[in-house]
Amino acid sequence: MNVAIDATSQDPSEAANSGPAGYIRLGLDRPLELDGGGTLSGFRLAYRTYGRLNADRSNAVLVCHALTGDQYVAEQHPVTGKAGWWDLMVGPGRPVDTDRFFVICSNVIGGCLGSEGPKETDDATGKPWALNFPVITIADMVRAQKMLIDHLGIAQLFCVIGGSMGGMQVLQWAVSYPDKVYCCLPIATAARHSAQNIAFHEVGRQAIMADPDWRLGDYLNQGTRPTKGLSVARMAAHITYLSEPALHRKFGRNLQDRKSITFGFDADFQVESYLRYQGISFVERFDANSYLYITRAMDYFDLAADHGGVLANAFRVAGPDGRPTGTPVKFCVISFSSDWLFPTSESRAVVHALNAVAANVSFVEVETDKGHDAFLLDVPEFYQVARGFIEGHAARRGIAAKVG
């Protein structure tokens, strides 16, 4: 059950260690200003916390989720019953050790698991927002997260970490609030969405909008759900999260529960059955309009656009003398060799921009054939790199191995 918290009625000193939380109303005194020109007042932001904040509030880690993720990073999901989506990374004894760190993960605005989005009720009408919800950006998501962090009374995050769209949020945090982040791990991500990725997203959006049950986005008010369109969108996207070697190793041309082909259009091959399952299971936990909004936010992401088209300029800050200098944020950029959705070249572009401003950055390309989703899977080298970076900087910051 989600518990509502009024941001104006709770003492920030109590908020951070008051339990795992549900959702909070933010923007009651100061609306969230959106890149598209609108605002959100009194908007919901659903979040979960793990571990405890230490006495000097220096051990907070923000986890940013990907396109179809949510706030249930390290606990059983209330809808699917599955384990947390990143319980290999977050938990007791994990690289993001919840015995040592206070971990926060919020559902992005535009999402569909409690945060303000097209599925939620517009207080002005008493009906779901649907397509009346304003189009949002990655920067808007980060501004909402910043309001949550401020409410929790955290002056600076020790670390911001995330993969894919989560990595976009990590980079946006470092650019928008360099004084509020000590170190960060952008994983399997990019500083802008490529034409190829925009194209894949458009296929998914068109699949949803072509479903007669989409009803021009008003399906919740009309008692329908565009499950077929959303399922196809998920199937198409899921292919991009894998690699050809991984697909071949797992499925090859193996047939599904039969000894020969049927000369029909049933799922003859195991890979077909697998994709159909992915599509069917996805529609049970995700909202079609949220898919439209969040994919559009990713498409609009371009860090260099607001900095003269030069990515390095995004990582410049004003020094003590007022002259531009490199960001103080420490970076560990991680990519995967078989990721063709966010290939290593995208990560290298970020690293080159950081090197251009003499930022503190390390870079690792992890060898694996598991594709883009490798950051969610059991890839030991990846977790070793993340652990080394996090533990090294935690020691430099004097963060105790366990919260007393």
mmCIF file with all atom_site columns, all heavy atoms in Angstrom, residues 14 16 46 56 61 85 89 94-95 127 162 166 191 197 214 217 244 262 264 269 356 378 390-391:
data_model
loop_
_atom_site.group_PDB
_atom_site.id
_atom_site.type_symbol
_atom_site.label_atom_id
_atom_site.label_alt_id
_atom_site.label_comp_id
_atom_site.label_asym_id
_atom_site.label_entity_id
_atom_site.label_seq_id
_atom_site.pdbx_PDB_ins_code
_atom_site.Cartn_x
_atom_site.Cartn_y
_atom_site.Cartn_z
_atom_site.occupancy
_atom_site.B_iso_or_equiv
_atom_site.pdbx_formal_charge
_atom_site.auth_seq_id
_atom_site.auth_comp_id
_atom_site.auth_asym_id
_atom_site.auth_atom_id
_atom_site.pdbx_PDB_model_num
ATOM 1   N N   . GLU A 1 14  ? 13.304  14.049  10.037  1.00 0.00 ? 14  GLU A N   1
ATOM 2   C CA  . GLU A 1 14  ? 12.647  12.776  10.321  1.00 0.00 ? 14  GLU A CA  1
ATOM 3   C C   . GLU A 1 14  ? 12.331  11.997  9.059   1.00 0.00 ? 14  GLU A C   1
ATOM 4   O O   . GLU A 1 14  ? 12.216  10.776  9.070   1.00 0.00 ? 14  GLU A O   1
ATOM 5   C CB  . GLU A 1 14  ? 11.340  13.034  11.088  1.00 0.00 ? 14  GLU A CB  1
ATOM 6   C CG  . GLU A 1 14  ? 11.525  13.718  12.432  1.00 0.00 ? 14  GLU A CG  1
ATOM 7   C CD  . GLU A 1 14  ? 10.195  14.054  13.076  1.00 0.00 ? 14  GLU A CD  1
ATOM 8   O OE1 . GLU A 1 14  ? 9.152   13.833  12.425  1.00 0.00 ? 14  GLU A OE1 1
ATOM 9   O OE2 . GLU A 1 14  ? 10.190  14.539  14.221  1.00 0.00 ? 14  GLU A OE2 1
ATOM 10  N N   . ALA A 1 16  ? 13.970  11.248  6.231   1.00 0.00 ? 16  ALA A N   1
ATOM 11  C CA  . ALA A 1 16  ? 14.915  10.331  5.614   1.00 0.00 ? 16  ALA A CA  1
ATOM 12  C C   . ALA A 1 16  ? 14.928  8.958   6.270   1.00 0.00 ? 16  ALA A C   1
ATOM 13  O O   . ALA A 1 16  ? 15.082  7.949   5.592   1.00 0.00 ? 16  ALA A O   1
ATOM 14  C CB  . ALA A 1 16  ? 16.320  10.931  5.640   1.00 0.00 ? 16  ALA A CB  1
ATOM 15  N N   . ALA A 1 46  ? 6.514   8.902   -6.212  1.00 0.00 ? 46  ALA A N   1
ATOM 16  C CA  . ALA A 1 46  ? 6.596   7.651   -5.462  1.00 0.00 ? 46  ALA A CA  1
ATOM 17  C C   . ALA A 1 46  ? 8.063   7.256   -5.317  1.00 0.00 ? 46  ALA A C   1
ATOM 18  O O   . ALA A 1 46  ? 8.838   7.358   -6.270  1.00 0.00 ? 46  ALA A O   1
ATOM 19  C CB  . ALA A 1 46  ? 5.821   6.555   -6.177  1.00 0.00 ? 46  ALA A CB  1
ATOM 20  N N   . ASP A 1 56  ? 25.991  12.606  9.599   1.00 0.00 ? 56  ASP A N   1
ATOM 21  C CA  . ASP A 1 56  ? 26.299  13.816  8.838   1.00 0.00 ? 56  ASP A CA  1
ATOM 22  C C   . ASP A 1 56  ? 25.674  13.817  7.443   1.00 0.00 ? 56  ASP A C   1
ATOM 23  O O   . ASP A 1 56  ? 25.999  14.660  6.609   1.00 0.00 ? 56  ASP A O   1
ATOM 24  C CB  . ASP A 1 56  ? 27.813  14.037  8.745   1.00 0.00 ? 56  ASP A CB  1
ATOM 25  C CG  . ASP A 1 56  ? 28.525  12.908  8.008   1.00 0.00 ? 56  ASP A CG  1
ATOM 26  O OD1 . ASP A 1 56  ? 27.845  11.953  7.565   1.00 0.00 ? 56  ASP A OD1 1
ATOM 27  O OD2 . ASP A 1 56  ? 29.759  12.982  7.885   1.00 0.00 ? 56  ASP A OD2 1
ATOM 28  N N   . VAL A 1 61  ? 22.744  7.572   -1.537  1.00 0.00 ? 61  VAL A N   1
ATOM 29  C CA  . VAL A 1 61  ? 22.938  7.137   -2.923  1.00 0.00 ? 61  VAL A CA  1
ATOM 30  C C   . VAL A 1 61  ? 21.590  7.180   -3.629  1.00 0.00 ? 61  VAL A C   1
ATOM 31  O O   . VAL A 1 61  ? 20.614  6.598   -3.149  1.00 0.00 ? 61  VAL A O   1
ATOM 32  C CB  . VAL A 1 61  ? 23.523  5.714   -2.992  1.00 0.00 ? 61  VAL A CB  1
ATOM 33  C CG1 . VAL A 1 61  ? 23.597  5.229   -4.444  1.00 0.00 ? 61  VAL A CG1 1
ATOM 34  C CG2 . VAL A 1 61  ? 24.901  5.662   -2.333  1.00 0.00 ? 61  VAL A CG2 1
ATOM 35  N N   . TRP A 1 85  ? 14.506  -5.132  -9.166  1.00 0.00 ? 85  TRP A N   1
ATOM 36  C CA  . TRP A 1 85  ? 15.110  -5.177  -10.498 1.00 0.00 ? 85  TRP A CA  1
ATOM 37  C C   . TRP A 1 85  ? 16.625  -5.027  -10.479 1.00 0.00 ? 85  TRP A C   1
ATOM 38  O O   . TRP A 1 85  ? 17.294  -5.369  -11.456 1.00 0.00 ? 85  TRP A O   1
ATOM 39  C CB  . TRP A 1 85  ? 14.479  -4.129  -11.413 1.00 0.00 ? 85  TRP A CB  1
ATOM 40  C CG  . TRP A 1 85  ? 14.570  -2.703  -10.956 1.00 0.00 ? 85  TRP A CG  1
ATOM 41  C CD1 . TRP A 1 85  ? 13.636  -2.006  -10.245 1.00 0.00 ? 85  TRP A CD1 1
ATOM 42  C CD2 . TRP A 1 85  ? 15.647  -1.786  -11.189 1.00 0.00 ? 85  TRP A CD2 1
ATOM 43  N NE1 . TRP A 1 85  ? 14.058  -0.717  -10.022 1.00 0.00 ? 85  TRP A NE1 1
ATOM 44  C CE2 . TRP A 1 85  ? 15.295  -0.558  -10.601 1.00 0.00 ? 85  TRP A CE2 1
ATOM 45  C CE3 . TRP A 1 85  ? 16.872  -1.884  -11.860 1.00 0.00 ? 85  TRP A CE3 1
ATOM 46  C CZ2 . TRP A 1 85  ? 16.126  0.566   -10.640 1.00 0.00 ? 85  TRP A CZ2 1
ATOM 47  C CZ3 . TRP A 1 85  ? 17.699  -0.768  -11.901 1.00 0.00 ? 85  TRP A CZ3 1
ATOM 48  C CH2 . TRP A 1 85  ? 17.328  0.441   -11.299 1.00 0.00 ? 85  TRP A CH2 1
ATOM 49  N N   . MET A 1 89  ? 22.865  -5.322  -7.486  1.00 0.00 ? 89  MET A N   1
ATOM 50  C CA  . MET A 1 89  ? 23.658  -4.122  -7.230  1.00 0.00 ? 89  MET A CA  1
ATOM 51  C C   . MET A 1 89  ? 23.375  -3.513  -5.858  1.00 0.00 ? 89  MET A C   1
ATOM 52  O O   . MET A 1 89  ? 24.291  -2.998  -5.203  1.00 0.00 ? 89  MET A O   1
ATOM 53  C CB  . MET A 1 89  ? 23.369  -3.064  -8.311  1.00 0.00 ? 89  MET A CB  1
ATOM 54  C CG  . MET A 1 89  ? 24.119  -1.746  -8.141  1.00 0.00 ? 89  MET A CG  1
ATOM 55  S SD  . MET A 1 89  ? 25.901  -1.882  -8.356  1.00 0.00 ? 89  MET A SD  1
ATOM 56  C CE  . MET A 1 89  ? 26.006  -1.973  -10.148 1.00 0.00 ? 89  MET A CE  1
ATOM 57  N N   . ARG A 1 94  ? 26.049  -5.855  -1.103  1.00 0.00 ? 94  ARG A N   1
ATOM 58  C CA  . ARG A 1 94  ? 26.144  -5.611  -2.539  1.00 0.00 ? 94  ARG A CA  1
ATOM 59  C C   . ARG A 1 94  ? 27.044  -4.396  -2.796  1.00 0.00 ? 94  ARG A C   1
ATOM 60  O O   . ARG A 1 94  ? 27.432  -3.692  -1.861  1.00 0.00 ? 94  ARG A O   1
ATOM 61  C CB  . ARG A 1 94  ? 24.750  -5.371  -3.130  1.00 0.00 ? 94  ARG A CB  1
ATOM 62  C CG  . ARG A 1 94  ? 23.780  -6.543  -2.979  1.00 0.00 ? 94  ARG A CG  1
ATOM 63  C CD  . ARG A 1 94  ? 24.282  -7.780  -3.671  1.00 0.00 ? 94  ARG A CD  1
ATOM 64  N NE  . ARG A 1 94  ? 23.239  -8.804  -3.786  1.00 0.00 ? 94  ARG A NE  1
ATOM 65  C CZ  . ARG A 1 94  ? 23.441  -10.028 -4.236  1.00 0.00 ? 94  ARG A CZ  1
ATOM 66  N NH1 . ARG A 1 94  ? 24.662  -10.394 -4.608  1.00 0.00 ? 94  ARG A NH1 1
ATOM 67  N NH2 . ARG A 1 94  ? 22.448  -10.902 -4.321  1.00 0.00 ? 94  ARG A NH2 1
ATOM 68  N N   . PRO A 1 95  ? 27.388  -4.118  -4.048  1.00 0.00 ? 95  PRO A N   1
ATOM 69  C CA  . PRO A 1 95  ? 28.218  -2.927  -4.321  1.00 0.00 ? 95  PRO A CA  1
ATOM 70  C C   . PRO A 1 95  ? 27.633  -1.647  -3.727  1.00 0.00 ? 95  PRO A C   1
ATOM 71  O O   . PRO A 1 95  ? 28.367  -0.822  -3.174  1.00 0.00 ? 95  PRO A O   1
ATOM 72  C CB  . PRO A 1 95  ? 28.251  -2.887  -5.857  1.00 0.00 ? 95  PRO A CB  1
ATOM 73  C CG  . PRO A 1 95  ? 28.163  -4.326  -6.251  1.00 0.00 ? 95  PRO A CG  1
ATOM 74  C CD  . PRO A 1 95  ? 27.204  -4.937  -5.267  1.00 0.00 ? 95  PRO A CD  1
ATOM 75  N N   . LYS A 1 127 ? -10.193 13.054  -13.229 1.00 0.00 ? 127 LYS A N   1
ATOM 76  C CA  . LYS A 1 127 ? -10.024 11.970  -14.189 1.00 0.00 ? 127 LYS A CA  1
ATOM 77  C C   . LYS A 1 127 ? -8.539  11.755  -14.483 1.00 0.00 ? 127 LYS A C   1
ATOM 78  O O   . LYS A 1 127 ? -7.727  12.641  -14.220 1.00 0.00 ? 127 LYS A O   1
ATOM 79  C CB  . LYS A 1 127 ? -10.753 12.302  -15.501 1.00 0.00 ? 127 LYS A CB  1
ATOM 80  C CG  . LYS A 1 127 ? -12.261 12.452  -15.360 1.00 0.00 ? 127 LYS A CG  1
ATOM 81  C CD  . LYS A 1 127 ? -12.889 12.793  -16.712 1.00 0.00 ? 127 LYS A CD  1
ATOM 82  C CE  . LYS A 1 127 ? -14.393 12.923  -16.598 1.00 0.00 ? 127 LYS A CE  1
ATOM 83  N NZ  . LYS A 1 127 ? -15.017 13.258  -17.923 1.00 0.00 ? 127 LYS A NZ  1
ATOM 84  N N   . GLY A 1 162 ? 22.961  4.732   -12.314 1.00 0.00 ? 162 GLY A N   1
ATOM 85  C CA  . GLY A 1 162 ? 21.861  4.212   -13.119 1.00 0.00 ? 162 GLY A CA  1
ATOM 86  C C   . GLY A 1 162 ? 22.333  3.779   -14.489 1.00 0.00 ? 162 GLY A C   1
ATOM 87  O O   . GLY A 1 162 ? 23.393  4.216   -14.965 1.00 0.00 ? 162 GLY A O   1
ATOM 88  N N   . GLY A 1 166 ? 18.371  5.497   -16.941 1.00 0.00 ? 166 GLY A N   1
ATOM 89  C CA  . GLY A 1 166 ? 18.886  5.862   -15.618 1.00 0.00 ? 166 GLY A CA  1
ATOM 90  C C   . GLY A 1 166 ? 20.226  6.551   -15.732 1.00 0.00 ? 166 GLY A C   1
ATOM 91  O O   . GLY A 1 166 ? 20.528  7.492   -14.986 1.00 0.00 ? 166 GLY A O   1
ATOM 92  N N   . ALA A 1 191 ? 25.032  10.643  -24.016 1.00 0.00 ? 191 ALA A N   1
ATOM 93  C CA  . ALA A 1 191 ? 24.743  12.051  -23.739 1.00 0.00 ? 191 ALA A CA  1
ATOM 94  C C   . ALA A 1 191 ? 23.613  12.584  -24.613 1.00 0.00 ? 191 ALA A C   1
ATOM 95  O O   . ALA A 1 191 ? 23.134  13.690  -24.398 1.00 0.00 ? 191 ALA A O   1
ATOM 96  C CB  . ALA A 1 191 ? 25.991  12.903  -23.944 1.00 0.00 ? 191 ALA A CB  1
ATOM 97  N N   . ASN A 1 197 ? 17.949  4.970   -32.164 1.00 0.00 ? 197 ASN A N   1
ATOM 98  C CA  . ASN A 1 197 ? 17.138  4.726   -30.976 1.00 0.00 ? 197 ASN A CA  1
ATOM 99  C C   . ASN A 1 197 ? 15.810  5.476   -31.034 1.00 0.00 ? 197 ASN A C   1
ATOM 100 O O   . ASN A 1 197 ? 14.777  4.971   -30.581 1.00 0.00 ? 197 ASN A O   1
ATOM 101 C CB  . ASN A 1 197 ? 17.917  5.101   -29.720 1.00 0.00 ? 197 ASN A CB  1
ATOM 102 C CG  . ASN A 1 197 ? 19.062  4.139   -29.456 1.00 0.00 ? 197 ASN A CG  1
ATOM 103 O OD1 . ASN A 1 197 ? 19.206  3.127   -30.147 1.00 0.00 ? 197 ASN A OD1 1
ATOM 104 N ND2 . ASN A 1 197 ? 19.886  4.444   -28.459 1.00 0.00 ? 197 ASN A ND2 1
ATOM 105 N N   . TRP A 1 214 ? -6.540  2.134   -27.929 1.00 0.00 ? 214 TRP A N   1
ATOM 106 C CA  . TRP A 1 214 ? -5.816  3.294   -27.383 1.00 0.00 ? 214 TRP A CA  1
ATOM 107 C C   . TRP A 1 214 ? -6.757  4.484   -27.229 1.00 0.00 ? 214 TRP A C   1
ATOM 108 O O   . TRP A 1 214 ? -6.609  5.276   -26.303 1.00 0.00 ? 214 TRP A O   1
ATOM 109 C CB  . TRP A 1 214 ? -4.630  3.650   -28.290 1.00 0.00 ? 214 TRP A CB  1
ATOM 110 C CG  . TRP A 1 214 ? -3.787  4.769   -27.764 1.00 0.00 ? 214 TRP A CG  1
ATOM 111 C CD1 . TRP A 1 214 ? -3.106  4.810   -26.581 1.00 0.00 ? 214 TRP A CD1 1
ATOM 112 C CD2 . TRP A 1 214 ? -3.535  6.023   -28.410 1.00 0.00 ? 214 TRP A CD2 1
ATOM 113 N NE1 . TRP A 1 214 ? -2.444  6.009   -26.445 1.00 0.00 ? 214 TRP A NE1 1
ATOM 114 C CE2 . TRP A 1 214 ? -2.687  6.774   -27.556 1.00 0.00 ? 214 TRP A CE2 1
ATOM 115 C CE3 . TRP A 1 214 ? -3.940  6.581   -29.624 1.00 0.00 ? 214 TRP A CE3 1
ATOM 116 C CZ2 . TRP A 1 214 ? -2.243  8.056   -27.892 1.00 0.00 ? 214 TRP A CZ2 1
ATOM 117 C CZ3 . TRP A 1 214 ? -3.490  7.848   -29.960 1.00 0.00 ? 214 TRP A CZ3 1
ATOM 118 C CH2 . TRP A 1 214 ? -2.648  8.570   -29.100 1.00 0.00 ? 214 TRP A CH2 1
ATOM 119 N N   . GLY A 1 217 ? -5.565  7.976   -26.605 1.00 0.00 ? 217 GLY A N   1
ATOM 120 C CA  . GLY A 1 217 ? -4.971  8.139   -25.289 1.00 0.00 ? 217 GLY A CA  1
ATOM 121 C C   . GLY A 1 217 ? -5.955  8.150   -24.142 1.00 0.00 ? 217 GLY A C   1
ATOM 122 O O   . GLY A 1 217 ? -5.555  8.168   -22.980 1.00 0.00 ? 217 GLY A O   1
ATOM 123 N N   . GLU A 1 244 ? 22.884  -10.425 -30.646 1.00 0.00 ? 244 GLU A N   1
ATOM 124 C CA  . GLU A 1 244 ? 22.692  -11.588 -31.504 1.00 0.00 ? 244 GLU A CA  1
ATOM 125 C C   . GLU A 1 244 ? 23.358  -12.833 -30.924 1.00 0.00 ? 244 GLU A C   1
ATOM 126 O O   . GLU A 1 244 ? 22.743  -13.913 -30.917 1.00 0.00 ? 244 GLU A O   1
ATOM 127 C CB  . GLU A 1 244 ? 23.211  -11.289 -32.914 1.00 0.00 ? 244 GLU A CB  1
ATOM 128 C CG  . GLU A 1 244 ? 22.721  -12.273 -33.969 1.00 0.00 ? 244 GLU A CG  1
ATOM 129 C CD  . GLU A 1 244 ? 23.474  -13.586 -33.971 1.00 0.00 ? 244 GLU A CD  1
ATOM 130 O OE1 . GLU A 1 244 ? 24.662  -13.580 -33.599 1.00 0.00 ? 244 GLU A OE1 1
ATOM 131 O OE2 . GLU A 1 244 ? 22.880  -14.614 -34.355 1.00 0.00 ? 244 GLU A OE2 1
ATOM 132 N N   . THR A 1 262 ? 5.221   -25.902 -38.363 1.00 0.00 ? 262 THR A N   1
ATOM 133 C CA  . THR A 1 262 ? 3.789   -26.150 -38.566 1.00 0.00 ? 262 THR A CA  1
ATOM 134 C C   . THR A 1 262 ? 3.257   -25.583 -39.870 1.00 0.00 ? 262 THR A C   1
ATOM 135 O O   . THR A 1 262 ? 2.101   -25.809 -40.207 1.00 0.00 ? 262 THR A O   1
ATOM 136 C CB  . THR A 1 262 ? 2.986   -25.530 -37.411 1.00 0.00 ? 262 THR A CB  1
ATOM 137 O OG1 . THR A 1 262 ? 3.152   -24.112 -37.430 1.00 0.00 ? 262 THR A OG1 1
ATOM 138 C CG2 . THR A 1 262 ? 3.421   -26.096 -36.065 1.00 0.00 ? 262 THR A CG2 1
ATOM 139 N N   . GLY A 1 264 ? 2.553   -22.544 -40.363 1.00 0.00 ? 264 GLY A N   1
ATOM 140 C CA  . GLY A 1 264 ? 1.521   -21.591 -39.970 1.00 0.00 ? 264 GLY A CA  1
ATOM 141 C C   . GLY A 1 264 ? 2.158   -20.415 -39.267 1.00 0.00 ? 264 GLY A C   1
ATOM 142 O O   . GLY A 1 264 ? 3.366   -20.190 -39.360 1.00 0.00 ? 264 GLY A O   1
ATOM 143 N N   . PHE A 1 269 ? 9.098   -21.075 -33.228 1.00 0.00 ? 269 PHE A N   1
ATOM 144 C CA  . PHE A 1 269 ? 10.429  -20.982 -32.668 1.00 0.00 ? 269 PHE A CA  1
ATOM 145 C C   . PHE A 1 269 ? 10.398  -20.491 -31.218 1.00 0.00 ? 269 PHE A C   1
ATOM 146 O O   . PHE A 1 269 ? 9.547   -19.682 -30.838 1.00 0.00 ? 269 PHE A O   1
ATOM 147 C CB  . PHE A 1 269 ? 11.286  -20.032 -33.507 1.00 0.00 ? 269 PHE A CB  1
ATOM 148 C CG  . PHE A 1 269 ? 11.513  -20.528 -34.911 1.00 0.00 ? 269 PHE A CG  1
ATOM 149 C CD1 . PHE A 1 269 ? 10.726  -20.064 -35.949 1.00 0.00 ? 269 PHE A CD1 1
ATOM 150 C CD2 . PHE A 1 269 ? 12.500  -21.461 -35.184 1.00 0.00 ? 269 PHE A CD2 1
ATOM 151 C CE1 . PHE A 1 269 ? 10.919  -20.506 -37.253 1.00 0.00 ? 269 PHE A CE1 1
ATOM 152 C CE2 . PHE A 1 269 ? 12.708  -21.919 -36.471 1.00 0.00 ? 269 PHE A CE2 1
ATOM 153 C CZ  . PHE A 1 269 ? 11.917  -21.450 -37.516 1.00 0.00 ? 269 PHE A CZ  1
ATOM 154 N N   . ALA A 1 356 ? 38.261  16.590  -21.648 1.00 0.00 ? 356 ALA A N   1
ATOM 155 C CA  . ALA A 1 356 ? 38.500  17.925  -22.213 1.00 0.00 ? 356 ALA A CA  1
ATOM 156 C C   . ALA A 1 356 ? 38.441  19.019  -21.163 1.00 0.00 ? 356 ALA A C   1
ATOM 157 O O   . ALA A 1 356 ? 39.019  20.091  -21.357 1.00 0.00 ? 356 ALA A O   1
ATOM 158 C CB  . ALA A 1 356 ? 37.494  18.211  -23.327 1.00 0.00 ? 356 ALA A CB  1
ATOM 159 N N   . ASP A 1 378 ? 23.842  -10.978 -14.346 1.00 0.00 ? 378 ASP A N   1
ATOM 160 C CA  . ASP A 1 378 ? 24.978  -11.445 -13.546 1.00 0.00 ? 378 ASP A CA  1
ATOM 161 C C   . ASP A 1 378 ? 26.244  -11.393 -14.399 1.00 0.00 ? 378 ASP A C   1
ATOM 162 O O   . ASP A 1 378 ? 26.602  -12.353 -15.082 1.00 0.00 ? 378 ASP A O   1
ATOM 163 C CB  . ASP A 1 378 ? 24.710  -12.865 -13.047 1.00 0.00 ? 378 ASP A CB  1
ATOM 164 C CG  . ASP A 1 378 ? 25.785  -13.338 -12.071 1.00 0.00 ? 378 ASP A CG  1
ATOM 165 O OD1 . ASP A 1 378 ? 26.635  -12.509 -11.681 1.00 0.00 ? 378 ASP A OD1 1
ATOM 166 O OD2 . ASP A 1 378 ? 25.769  -14.523 -11.695 1.00 0.00 ? 378 ASP A OD2 1
ATOM 167 N N   . ILE A 1 390 ? 32.844  2.617   -5.923  1.00 0.00 ? 390 ILE A N   1
ATOM 168 C CA  . ILE A 1 390 ? 32.024  3.095   -4.809  1.00 0.00 ? 390 ILE A CA  1
ATOM 169 C C   . ILE A 1 390 ? 32.785  2.997   -3.491  1.00 0.00 ? 390 ILE A C   1
ATOM 170 O O   . ILE A 1 390 ? 32.827  3.962   -2.706  1.00 0.00 ? 390 ILE A O   1
ATOM 171 C CB  . ILE A 1 390 ? 30.700  2.307   -4.739  1.00 0.00 ? 390 ILE A CB  1
ATOM 172 C CG1 . ILE A 1 390 ? 29.830  2.651   -5.951  1.00 0.00 ? 390 ILE A CG1 1
ATOM 173 C CG2 . ILE A 1 390 ? 29.949  2.608   -3.443  1.00 0.00 ? 390 ILE A CG2 1
ATOM 174 C CD1 . ILE A 1 390 ? 28.646  1.728   -6.132  1.00 0.00 ? 390 ILE A CD1 1
ATOM 175 N N   . GLU A 1 391 ? 33.404  1.847   -3.236  1.00 0.00 ? 391 GLU A N   1
ATOM 176 C CA  . GLU A 1 391 ? 34.116  1.668   -1.966  1.00 0.00 ? 391 GLU A CA  1
ATOM 177 C C   . GLU A 1 391 ? 35.325  2.595   -1.875  1.00 0.00 ? 391 GLU A C   1
ATOM 178 O O   . GLU A 1 391 ? 35.624  3.130   -0.798  1.00 0.00 ? 391 GLU A O   1
ATOM 179 C CB  . GLU A 1 391 ? 34.533  0.212   -1.806  1.00 0.00 ? 391 GLU A CB  1
ATOM 180 C CG  . GLU A 1 391 ? 33.362  -0.733  -1.570  1.00 0.00 ? 391 GLU A CG  1
ATOM 181 C CD  . GLU A 1 391 ? 33.808  -2.158  -1.294  1.00 0.00 ? 391 GLU A CD  1
ATOM 182 O OE1 . GLU A 1 391 ? 35.026  -2.449  -1.445  1.00 0.00 ? 391 GLU A OE1 1
ATOM 183 O OE2 . GLU A 1 391 ? 32.940  -2.989  -0.930  1.00 0.00 ? 391 GLU A OE2 1
#
